[in-house]
Amino acid sequence: MEGPRASGGRAMTGRSGKGHRDENFPVASKLLRPEHRAPIMAFYRFARVADDIADAADLSPSEKLHKLGELRRGLDGDGAPEAVALARTMAERGIDPIHAHELLDAFTQDVTVRRYADWDSLIGYCRLSAMPVGRFVLDVHGEDRATWPLSDALCAALQVINHLQDCAKDYRALDRIYIPADMLAASGAEAEDLALTAATPALRDAIVATAARTRTLLEVSAPFAGGIRDRRLAAEVAIIQRLAESLTARLLTRDPLSERVHHRTVEAVLLAGGAALGQLFARRRR
């Protein structure tokens, strides 16, 4: 249920070449039913284009906003082809286009906002950049909207995890800092610390504080998979939850400036398999 993630700056005309298999968490995996994967991929392609525009190194802010505006117009049927295709899919499925519009709001914010004062403002950004992705997936599956709060917590956690893993890249390439400013100040860290090859003790304290708040989000989202009716989607959510818990644990003990945090393929496969089987057995016991 993850949306596209910035790759830390790109020398291209608004396109990264990145695909759904390059994301840190599963996107429309083959666990899902084919009829559900298609609309999710339409949403992903739309989001990928918007993300690439917002992060393009060779576009000015005004050019980025113009291109994002073209995507917005596409949602009304006359603009960027990825947006037109998504609009058609949403109309066929009876899905509220608010999720796509909110995601565009987030990418517009990426063009104009580079710092977040506190945790609440960061979660406010996640409300636009991450939560609509999960809500769209749930709507595609016809799930009860009562599951939204748990989905929101998981999606926000995924977004913050991605930002913490890539905190140095985001700063060096895009001059963006997603670690809340008050957490940096409380630890005595400076923004410029993110340009170093290894985190200072103060920066590590700020990263750990942000990861700890993220772990709290994952504690909230822990029952999410168990409340999903579609067993295939439940398995994918269980996998994402487990991967997120593992990455958060690493961020609490590893320095993302100098140490590997991302899972290697074998690690991810083992974690995913255990989570999916655990979810399957839990359902059989009910």
Side-chain angles (χ1 to χ4, degrees):
M1 302 179 75
E2 183 198 22
R5 171 70 189 116
S7 65
R10 299 151 184 155
M12 83 330 257
T13 308
R15 295 298 177 108
S16 67
K18 189 174 180 180
H20 70 287
R21 292 185 178 87
D22 301 313
E23 302 294 345
N24 294 326
F25 299 96
V27 176
S29 76
K30 291 186 178 180
L31 275 173
L32 303 185
R33 300 178 193 281
E35 64 268 26
H36 295 327
R37 292 184 70 226
I40 293 170
M41 285 305 302
F43 192 86
Y44 176 81
R45 285 189 287 269
F46 163 81
R48 168 48 53 207
V49 171
D51 191 17
D52 287 348
I53 291 169
D55 291 347
D58 59 345
L59 296 177
S60 68
S62 61
E63 289 172 325
K64 292 178 181 182
L65 294 175
H66 175 74
K67 286 180 175 292
L68 291 172
E70 290 179 343
L71 281 173
R72 182 90 66 184
R73 289 190 293 277
L75 293 176
D76 295 325
D78 182 22
E82 295 86 357
V84 172
L86 176 60
R88 186 181 306 114
T89 295
M90 291 188 295
E92 291 170 353
R93 297 271 181 148
I95 297 174
D96 193 332
I98 186 63
H99 308 311
H101 281 287
E102 288 180 336
L103 200 60
L104 278 181
D105 290 341
F107 291 123
T108 299
Q109 187 167 315
D110 276 335
V111 176
T112 58
V113 178
R114 296 182 177 180
R115 305 287 189 272
Y116 291 88
D118 51 32
W119 180 256
D120 286 345
S121 62
L122 179 60
I123 295 302
Y125 167 70
C126 293
R127 168 66 186 82
L128 299 173
S129 66
M131 297 179 191
V133 179
R135 294 179 179 190
F136 179 86
V137 171
L138 290 171
D139 280 358
V140 166
H141 285 79
E143 293 289 332
D144 193 323
R145 293 194 174 190
T147 58
W148 277 17
L150 299 183
S151 173
D152 289 350
L154 178 57
C155 289
L158 302 183
Q159 184 77 82
V160 179
I161 289 166
N162 283 335
H163 287 320
L164 288 177
Q165 289 182 123
D166 296 337
C167 59
K169 291 180 181 179
D170 285 339
Y171 177 71
R172 295 167 188 163
L174 301 167
D175 190 32
R176 291 188 196 145
I177 300 177
Y178 295 95
I179 301 171
D182 62 347
M183 291 187 181
L184 287 171
S187 69
E190 301 287 344
E192 294 76 13
D193 294 345
L194 288 162
L196 302 175
T197 56
T200 63
L203 180 57
R204 274 297 299 147
D205 286 347
I207 292 171
V208 167
T210 309
R213 296 293 295 267
T214 306
R215 182 173 55 188
T216 300
L217 288 173
L218 291 172
E219 290 170 356
V220 172
S221 66
F224 179 28
I228 295 172
R229 291 192 300 265
D230 186 291
R231 63 184 181 85
R232 293 192 182 191
L233 177 60
E236 181 167 283
V237 167
I239 289 169
I240 293 172
Q241 174 81 23
R242 183 66 190 93
L243 293 173
E245 291 170 348
S246 173
L247 289 173
T248 301
R250 291 184 178 195
L251 286 164
L252 290 167
T253 59
R254 298 186 187 184
D255 173 15
L257 274 66
S258 62
E259 298 177 276
R260 182 186 180 92
V261 177
H262 295 74
H263 292 122
R264 299 186 188 278
T265 300
V266 172
E267 294 170 332
V269 168
L270 290 174
L271 288 168
L277 288 173
Q279 178 63 27
L280 176 62
F281 291 146
R283 286 182 174 253
R284 286 184 174 178
R285 287 197 299 267
R286 291 177 189 172

